[in-house]
Amino acid sequence: MPRKVSSIDEVVRQQLCVSCGACVSAAPEGGIQLSYDESRGVPIPRIADTRRVSGSGPELSVCPGRGVPIWALSRELFGSGRPFSVETGQYREALIGRTNDERIALGASSGGVMTDIPLFLIEEGLIDGATSVRFEPSVDGPRTRPHIATNRDDLIAAQGSKYCPTSTNLLVRECQRQGGRYLFIGTPCQVSALRMAARQDASVRKTFPYAMANFCGGYRDYRYLEGILRLGGVQPSEVVSFRFRGGGWPGTLRAETYDGRVFTQPYPHFRFSALVNKQRRCTLCVDGMGLLADFACGDAWIDRMRGEGHGWSVILTRSGFASDVIEKMVRTGRLVSQPVAHEEILHSQRFNLDSKIHRQRKRRRVFVVLGRTCPEFDVELPAGTTSYWREMKIIALKTRFMMALLIGWRFTAAGRVVVGSFRRLLRRRFRRHST
């Protein structure tokens, strides 16, 4: 039987923390703090006041690293009248859409809907703001910073995917302090953390009546971001402006330095250029499509749309409110839309769903056999298309590769030569695809 997580400290030790900051907002103020762990390349929670915070109280009950009762929460939020698919969850409407706002479309990497929907809600007076995350420069390189967006400029400044830690749930307490109603925008696990917090504190639900999630395949740490920049000949500390994707579909990585140099790399070439694995919690996640969000959006990797010349987003609405909003945006010309079949949605997300759903059942069993703790979910996973042997080989390859990299790079002259040669090869390949 898999072991159950009993404290926030254990979540961190088992590498199940997603750096969301939910535990910080749930604990008494100042009881838990997020601090950067250089060895892991991510912020992690540390209990600052052991007299008031045990690590096993409300802060643990909202932690997505421990696990999420997805099916139970889905029924509470959206009812149980519709069939629940482990891939897509419950949804009312499905379509592909793109914004008609030229400025938003210019900075988007797909359809721009995750910027235009919250802007529409703000302009209609339905919310006072939305959570957002933007990149800001620092002495260590670009870092994500959570912000409360209340206007068009705020939302546009936060456009683009963030393939590194984002601590959006830190904004829960700040939004409660400011008062008003907000749209929570985050990854599926961050939305799950918000829903669990609202389950135990009605004031959270009052502050965040609605949530939006992006489709998510997981993230790496800041060493990944820094590695990409260095392969492109850019020192992270020199970067004043950074984005992973944007500027049209499917998007382009762009980094600008203080002295005006610009480095670009088209998506998805940069994804495999830095030698950093996904976070363990992401590897063991079963929610790739925001199963607990009113609005869930992601890239429309649909063959019939590839020749359109601009990006499209898949939009799933799970609540009546979300469906009404999308219907009004389409009716007033705010969004351009087309119908999409369930099978097309699954096909467009097939690579992510293969990892998160179809390989997950056997993968989790391998982790349990190896003595690793897994997050708990209340969904029935299919037998899948993978094998125990395949999952064991992948885990061993990643572990062996990372250990060889660590030992070779730091401790032996021969290892430094081998790894250095490999890095130079990567750099040449990287620049060959650069623009």
Side-chain angles (χ1 to χ4, degrees):
M1 291 291 293
R3 294 181 298 172
K4 293 187 176 182
V5 177
S6 59
S7 70
I8 289 295
D9 286 341
E10 188 176 357
V11 170
V12 174
R13 285 198 306 272
Q14 293 293 332
Q15 298 179 35
L16 297 177
C17 178
V18 293
S19 306
C20 66
C23 59
V24 177
S25 292
E29 190 161 4
I32 298 180
Q33 297 176 349
L34 280 186
S35 58
Y36 186 68
D37 186 323
E38 291 188 6
S39 65
R40 299 185 184 185
V42 296
I44 60 173
R46 301 186 188 279
I47 297 177
D49 188 343
T50 56
R51 293 173 299 177
R52 295 188 299 157
V53 179
S54 67
S56 302
E59 60 277 2
L60 181 64
S61 63
V62 303
C63 175
R66 181 191 61 154
V68 183
I70 293 177
W71 172 221
L73 282 168
S74 178
R75 285 183 296 176
E76 291 175 16
L77 292 164
F78 312 124
S80 55
R82 291 174 177 78
F84 181 92
S85 161
V86 70
E87 293 93 355
T88 61
Q90 299 186 84
Y91 64 87
R92 291 172 175 260
E93 307 289 341
L95 66 152
I96 53 175
R98 60 179 176 84
T99 180
N100 255 334
D101 188 305
E102 292 185 5
R103 186 181 173 197
I104 292 176
L106 182 64
S109 53
S110 53
V113 298
M114 290 198 69
T115 302
D116 207 14
I117 291 172
L119 179 59
F120 177 79
L121 296 178
I122 291 173
E123 291 175 347
E124 291 288 305
L126 298 172
I127 59 173
D128 297 292
T131 62
S132 67
V133 177
R134 66 185 69 169
F135 278 109
E136 293 182 356
S138 77
V139 294
D140 298 312
R143 293 291 185 266
T144 58
R145 296 287 183 267
H147 292 271
I148 301 172
T150 59
N151 55 53
R152 173 188 293 266
D153 290 340
D154 289 344
L155 290 165
I156 289 177
Q159 277 188 293
S161 302
K162 314 293 190 301
Y163 299 115
C164 56
T166 57
S167 304
T168 309
N169 296 75
L170 288 176
L171 294 174
V172 170
R173 178 172 282 136
E174 179 60 27
C175 288
Q176 288 181 298
R177 185 180 291 118
Q178 291 190 14
R181 291 154 55 92
Y182 299 86
L183 173 70
F184 185 92
I185 306 175
T187 63
C189 60
Q190 292 170 347
V191 170
S192 296
L194 178 83
R195 297 304 199 187
M196 290 189 289
R199 207 182 202 187
Q200 69 179 26
D201 184 351
S203 67
V204 174
R205 181 63 188 267
K206 183 178 179 181
T207 302
F208 295 98
Y210 317 115
M212 172 186 285
N214 57 281
F215 295 176
C216 181
Y219 74 91
R220 294 172 172 83
D221 58 49
Y222 282 121
R223 295 172 300 176
Y224 167 65
L225 185 158
E226 294 163 6
I228 291 173
L229 292 174
R230 290 193 176 100
L231 284 171
V234 178
Q235 289 301 314
S237 59
E238 299 174 345
V239 175
V240 66
S241 173
F242 179 83
R243 73 178 187 209
F244 270 114
R245 292 178 65 188
W249 189 83
T252 302
L253 180 148
R254 186 180 188 277
E256 183 176 352
T257 63
Y258 284 99
D259 59 3
R261 289 178 292 128
V262 175
F263 167 69
T264 61
Q265 178 77 356
Y267 180 86
H269 296 305
F270 63 81
R271 290 180 60 194
F272 311 104
S273 299
L275 310 177
V276 177
N277 292 325
K278 285 183 183 178
Q279 296 295 297
R280 181 179 295 174
R281 172 59 172 77
C282 300
T283 302
L284 297 168
C285 179
V286 302
D287 184 358
M289 300 182 71
L291 306 187
L292 299 179
D294 299 88
F295 307 87
C297 309
D299 290 298
W301 299 103
I302 298 174
D303 292 340
R304 64 183 171 90
M305 309 309 300
R306 290 183 182 273
E308 292 286 323
H310 41 66
W312 291 81
S313 298
V314 174
I315 307 172
L316 302 179
T317 63
R318 308 193 191 280
S319 65
F321 170 81
S323 293
D324 291 343
V325 167
I326 296 300
E327 189 276 332
K328 185 174 182 180
M329 293 182 72
V330 172
R331 176 164 42 85
T332 57
R334 186 84 175 235
L335 290 181
V336 179
S337 70
Q338 292 188 24
V340 63
H342 182 78
E343 292 73 20
E344 284 187 300
I345 297 171
L346 297 182
H347 183 72
S348 75
Q349 303 299 316
R350 60 192 181 280
F351 299 115
N352 192 24
L353 292 176
D354 179 59
S355 175
K356 287 189 172 288
I357 305 298
H358 302 297
R359 291 170 49 199
Q360 192 64 231
R361 186 171 177 174
K362 289 186 172 67
R363 177 187 298 167
R364 292 169 67 85
R365 288 182 178 176
V366 169
F367 268 85
V368 171
V369 169
L370 294 175
R372 308 286 178 80
T373 301
C374 297
E376 298 181 73
F377 301 101
D378 63 348
V379 296
E380 184 68 26
L381 292 167
T385 57
T386 188
S387 67
Y388 294 116
W389 176 239
R390 179 189 180 192
E391 295 306 314
M392 289 178 68
K393 285 195 297 184
I394 291 173
I395 293 172
L397 177 63
K398 288 182 177 180
T399 303
R400 183 180 61 191
F401 180 71
M402 295 305 292
M403 287 297 293
L405 179 66
L406 178 66
I407 295 172
W409 180 256
R410 292 192 176 181
F411 299 109
T412 70
R416 285 195 292 272
V417 171
V418 171
V419 175
S421 298
F422 186 65
R423 286 175 63 86
R424 287 192 292 273
L425 178 65
L426 270 180
R427 188 177 288 113
R428 286 197 296 272
R429 171 191 174 278
F430 197 69
R431 287 175 175 167
R432 198 161 56 240
H433 290 291
S434 299
T435 58

